[in-house]
């Protein structure tokens, strides 16, 4: 809140601060290359590959790579280049990758396109989709051969999976013009998935018809499963069933549990869980044993419609035929138990997960924390927050927020303050609305010192209080004639 005066705000605290010097950090010593030299005077290709793979520092790995090439009579080959590029890609050292690729253009050894397929996957994971295409086009430059159908399908699939529709379209046009692309079944399937992702089911069907006319490919189980999934996503459940029947009756392709799951999920999303249940019965009658994913999807549908007892029956049946429920199945039931104020049964399921070796995730814990708070069992929720990290389970900001909001609603500022300190100590900042509410309530309750302590802890973690919160804090501090805390607050406000 700087004034209109030309004089800047100067905090009295500036005259009390002493600059502190941080001690120099100890420097790390590299032993890897020294040890290699002691063991062997000459680093072979296999030794270089093993040293690079074991090295955790990408810069040191690059030093090993360069040291090996300094040896008389040593020339890098496809394997050593593939190893160093993979290591650099793992650590996202993309400039170093460019330098190594540039060096490869002057090598005389024979390279394989697998190097570039691997780099394409790394760039896709880093959302560098243009670089995926660059790696594809580098194959012809460095490998000195046309990319194979595997390279084409890998590049296309990465672009489609990343929803890069425009890049995928450009890539396909170039592949047809410059590489005389003759799609195989794999590439046709990717094209079907490409059109389904766009929601263009008509074009997806056209691709399937083209596959049937081709001499080198024909629709398979993946083709039909992808097409059915696209139809279900668009809410065209009847058409999806028609495709299923055509697949079985005309093309004599027998579905597997994953194909059935497409229909089960489609009916669940469409609010037709009874139809999904009939799919399960149909599977059993036709010799296809339902798997965990089929039952989990069915349970989700029952819970979504509030039919908890039927979800429990499906859960029990799944276990009775020897299937081991996964985290999703357990969490689905735990959520429904908590929403139905049956938190004790949810806790029993959590214990069962532990006994069966199925590790609960943070979603399951947050659901139970919310259930305990809704039933007024805040002490139990607090106990979980304190102990779970020591048992090796990870919590997130939402875990603490659920309980903190409950404490604020109940007006238990003492426990709210303790929980806030615990959060900050573990590196979590509560939601800004909750933080402001806690600060204001502490001031209204006369706990100004606590409010100031909490405030500075929050500010250090990047929290920005609302102007009204600042106003309340400064006003209360000034009314109590505590000038130093007021200067502290104003100093933070100026920053």
């Amino acid at each position: 809140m700087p004034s209109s005066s030309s004089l800047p705000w100067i905090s009295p605290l500036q005259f009390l601060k002493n600059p502190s010097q941080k001690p120099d950090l100890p420097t790390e010593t590299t032993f890897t290359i020294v040890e290699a030299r002691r063991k062997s005077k000459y680093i072979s290709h296999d030794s270089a590959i093993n040293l690079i793979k074991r090295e955790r520092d990408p810069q040191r790995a690059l030093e090993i790579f360069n040291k090996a090439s300094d040896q008389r009579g040593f020339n890098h080959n496809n394997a050593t280049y593939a190893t160093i590029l993979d290591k650099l890609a793992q650590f996202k050292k993309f400039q170093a990758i460019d330098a190594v690729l540039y060096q490869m253009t002057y090598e005389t050894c024979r390279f394989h396109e697998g190097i570039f397929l691997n780099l394409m996957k790394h760039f896709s994971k880093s959302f560098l989709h243009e670089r995926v295409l660059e790696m594809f086009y580098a194959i012809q430059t460095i490998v000195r051969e046309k990319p194979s159908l595997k390279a084409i399908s890998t590049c296309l699939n990465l672009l489609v999976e990343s929803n890069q529709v425009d890049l995928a379209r450009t890539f396909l046009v170039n592949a047809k013009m410059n590489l005389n692309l003759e799609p195989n079944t794999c590439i046709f399937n990717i094209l079907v998935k490409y059109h389904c992702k766009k929601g263009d089911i008509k074009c997806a069907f056209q691709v399937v018809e083209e596959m049937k006319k081709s001499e080198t490919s024909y629709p398979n189980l993946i083709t039909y499963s992808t097409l059915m999934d696209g139809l279900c996503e668009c809410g065209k459940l009847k058409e999806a069933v028609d495709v299923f029947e055509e697949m079985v009756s005309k093309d004599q392709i027998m579905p597997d549990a994953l194909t059935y799951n497409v229909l089960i999920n489609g009916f669940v999303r469409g609010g037709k869980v009874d139809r999904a249940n009939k799919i399960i019965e149909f599977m059993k009658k036709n010799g296809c044993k339902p798997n965990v994913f089929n039952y989990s999807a069915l349970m989700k549908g029952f819970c979504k419609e509030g039919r908890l007892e039927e979800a429990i029956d499906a859960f029990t049946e799944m276990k009775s035929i020897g299937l081991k429920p996964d985290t999703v199945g357990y969490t689905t039931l735990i959520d429904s138990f908590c929403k139905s104020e049956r938190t004790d049964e949810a806790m029993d399921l959590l214990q069962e997960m532990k006994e069966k070796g199925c590790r609960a995730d943070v979603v399951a814990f947050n659901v139970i924390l919310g259930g305990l708070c809704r039933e007024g069992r805040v002490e139990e929720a607090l106990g979980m927050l304190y102990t779970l990290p020591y048992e090796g389970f990870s919590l997130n900001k939402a875990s603490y927020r659920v309980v903190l909001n409950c404490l604020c609603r109940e007006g238990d500022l003492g426990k709210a303050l303790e929980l806030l300190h615990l959060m900050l100590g573990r590196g979590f900042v509560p939601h800004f609305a909750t933080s402001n509410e806690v600060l204001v309530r502490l001031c209204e309750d006369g706990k100004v010192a606590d409010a100031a302590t909490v405030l500075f802890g929050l500010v250090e973690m990047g929290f920005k209080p609302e102007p009204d919160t600042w106003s309340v804090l400064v006003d209360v501090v000034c009314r109590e004639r505590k000038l130093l805390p007021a200067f502290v607050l104003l100093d933070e406000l100026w920053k």
Side-chain angles (χ1 to χ4, degrees), residues 292-473:
V292 171
F293 304 106
N294 302 142
Y295 277 108
S296 294
L298 182 64
M299 288 160 53
K300 183 179 178 182
F302 281 131
C303 291
K304 185 179 176 182
E305 294 189 7
R307 296 159 65 176
L308 179 53
E309 295 305 321
E310 289 169 275
I312 295 171
D313 290 340
F315 184 73
T316 304
E317 180 182 316
M318 173 172 57
K319 292 192 291 184
S320 70
I321 61 174
L323 292 175
K324 185 179 178 181
D326 62 358
T327 304
V328 175
Y330 274 114
T331 304
T332 299
L333 272 189
I334 286 171
D335 182 50
S336 286
F337 276 132
C338 288
K339 286 178 178 176
S340 302
E341 297 186 355
R342 295 165 63 176
T343 308
D344 284 330
E345 291 171 85
M347 299 282 279
D348 290 340
L349 276 181
L350 194 64
Q351 181 61 32
E352 182 181 314
M353 290 180 74
K354 185 177 180 180
E355 293 170 357
K356 298 292 185 181
C358 181
R359 188 174 177 82
D361 59 14
V362 69
V363 176
F365 289 123
N366 289 353
V367 166
I368 286 184
L369 288 168
L372 290 171
C373 288
R374 281 193 296 272
E375 292 183 16
R377 299 159 65 178
V378 188
E379 288 293 339
E380 291 177 67
L382 280 170
M384 287 182 64
L385 288 180
Y386 279 103
T387 59
L388 283 173
Y390 295 105
E391 295 174 4
F393 295 103
S394 298
L395 299 175
N396 59 16
K397 184 190 293 188
S399 313
Y400 298 92
R401 187 174 64 209
V402 168
V403 184
L404 185 60
N405 286 340
C406 180
L407 291 170
C408 288
R409 284 195 304 270
E410 293 185 358
D412 195 339
L413 292 180
K415 286 192 175 69
L417 194 58
E418 289 178 18
L419 181 54
L420 202 53
H421 285 308
L422 180 68
M423 284 186 73
L424 296 176
R426 291 178 176 175
F428 294 102
V429 179
H431 189 270
F432 74 95
T434 304
S435 301
N436 283 303
E437 182 181 354
V438 171
L439 289 169
V440 171
R441 287 199 179 193
L442 286 170
C443 288
E444 291 173 347
D445 207 40
K447 299 179 179 179
V448 184
D450 290 330
T453 303
V454 169
L455 174 64
F456 293 130
L458 288 167
V459 169
E460 286 176 7
M461 299 288 289
F463 170 72
K464 294 181 179 180
E466 293 179 347
D468 290 344
T469 307
W470 280 114
S471 176
V472 171
L473 285 166

Side-chain angles (χ1 to χ4, degrees), residues 237-238 264 266-277 305:
L237 299 176
K238 182 182 180 302
I264 294 169
F267 284 121
V268 166
R269 282 196 301 268
K272 298 180 179 180
V273 68
D274 289 320
R275 292 290 303 275
N277 196 22
E305 294 189 7

Side-chain angles (χ1 to χ4, degrees), residues 143-382:
V143 179
R144 300 180 182 92
E145 288 182 357
K146 281 189 175 183
S148 67
L149 283 174
K150 181 180 179 181
I152 294 172
S153 61
T154 299
C155 184
L156 181 60
N157 192 52
L158 288 171
L159 294 174
V160 172
E161 284 290 339
S162 303
N163 208 27
Q164 298 298 307
V165 176
D166 291 335
L167 287 178
R169 185 185 299 113
T170 303
F171 172 73
L172 279 173
V173 171
N174 289 336
K176 286 182 179 179
M177 289 176 58
N178 303 320
L179 300 174
N180 298 319
L181 174 63
E182 293 183 9
N184 57 11
T185 301
C186 180
I187 292 175
F188 270 122
N189 284 340
I190 296 169
L191 292 174
V192 173
K193 179 167 63 176
Y194 163 80
H195 290 301
C196 286
K197 273 185 170 287
K198 288 199 309 176
D200 192 347
I201 304 299
K202 182 179 179 181
C203 284
F205 271 104
Q206 289 174 354
V207 172
V208 174
E209 290 302 315
E210 191 175 338
M211 288 179 76
K212 292 178 179 179
K213 296 174 185 177
S214 172
E215 295 180 357
T216 58
S217 65
Y218 198 81
N220 59 13
L221 184 60
I222 296 174
T223 314
Y224 284 111
S225 297
T226 305
L227 198 56
M228 287 158 55
D229 190 47
L231 288 166
C232 288
E233 286 286 344
C234 295
K236 298 180 178 181
L237 299 176
K238 182 182 180 302
E239 289 86 343
V241 173
D242 291 341
V243 169
F244 176 86
E245 291 176 352
E246 178 185 339
M247 176 185 74
V248 175
S249 60
K250 289 186 178 180
D251 288 332
Q252 304 295 308
I253 298 174
M254 297 310 296
D256 60 9
L258 291 176
T259 306
Y260 280 113
N261 213 44
V262 170
L263 289 177
I264 294 169
N265 275 312
F267 284 121
V268 166
R269 282 196 301 268
K272 298 180 179 180
V273 68
D274 289 320
R275 292 290 303 275
N277 196 22
K278 287 181 180 178
I279 296 291
I280 296 278
E281 296 303 318
F282 182 84
M283 290 176 69
K284 291 186 286 188
K285 289 178 182 177
N286 287 273
C288 183
K289 184 180 178 181
N291 63 17
V292 171
F293 304 106
N294 302 142
Y295 277 108
S296 294
L298 182 64
M299 288 160 53
K300 183 179 178 182
F302 281 131
C303 291
K304 185 179 176 182
E305 294 189 7
R307 296 159 65 176
L308 179 53
E309 295 305 321
E310 289 169 275
I312 295 171
D313 290 340
F315 184 73
T316 304
E317 180 182 316
M318 173 172 57
K319 292 192 291 184
S320 70
I321 61 174
L323 292 175
K324 185 179 178 181
D326 62 358
T327 304
V328 175
Y330 274 114
T331 304
T332 299
L333 272 189
I334 286 171
D335 182 50
S336 286
F337 276 132
C338 288
K339 286 178 178 176
S340 302
E341 297 186 355
R342 295 165 63 176
T343 308
D344 284 330
E345 291 171 85
M347 299 282 279
D348 290 340
L349 276 181
L350 194 64
Q351 181 61 32
E352 182 181 314
M353 290 180 74
K354 185 177 180 180
E355 293 170 357
K356 298 292 185 181
C358 181
R359 188 174 177 82
D361 59 14
V362 69
V363 176
F365 289 123
N366 289 353
V367 166
I368 286 184
L369 288 168
L372 290 171
C373 288
R374 281 193 296 272
E375 292 183 16
R377 299 159 65 178
V378 188
E379 288 293 339
E380 291 177 67
L382 280 170

Side-chain angles (χ1 to χ4, degrees), residues 52-104:
I52 291 169
K53 283 182 176 179
R54 289 204 306 264
E55 184 54 67
R56 295 182 179 180
D57 185 335
Q59 183 59 41
R60 292 176 187 171
L62 197 55
E63 288 172 12
I64 296 170
F65 180 83
N66 292 329
K67 283 289 182 181
S69 62
D70 288 342
Q71 300 173 119
R72 183 178 297 177
F74 184 96
N75 291 305
H76 281 295
N77 59 18
N78 181 81
T80 54
Y81 270 108
T83 305
I84 188 61
L85 285 170
D86 184 63
K87 176 67 68 173
L88 295 172
Q90 288 176 27
F91 288 90
K92 304 185 189 302
K93 300 296 180 182
F94 300 128
Q95 287 186 338
I97 287 174
D98 290 338
V100 174
L101 289 173
Y102 179 76
Q103 184 177 326
M104 288 170 68

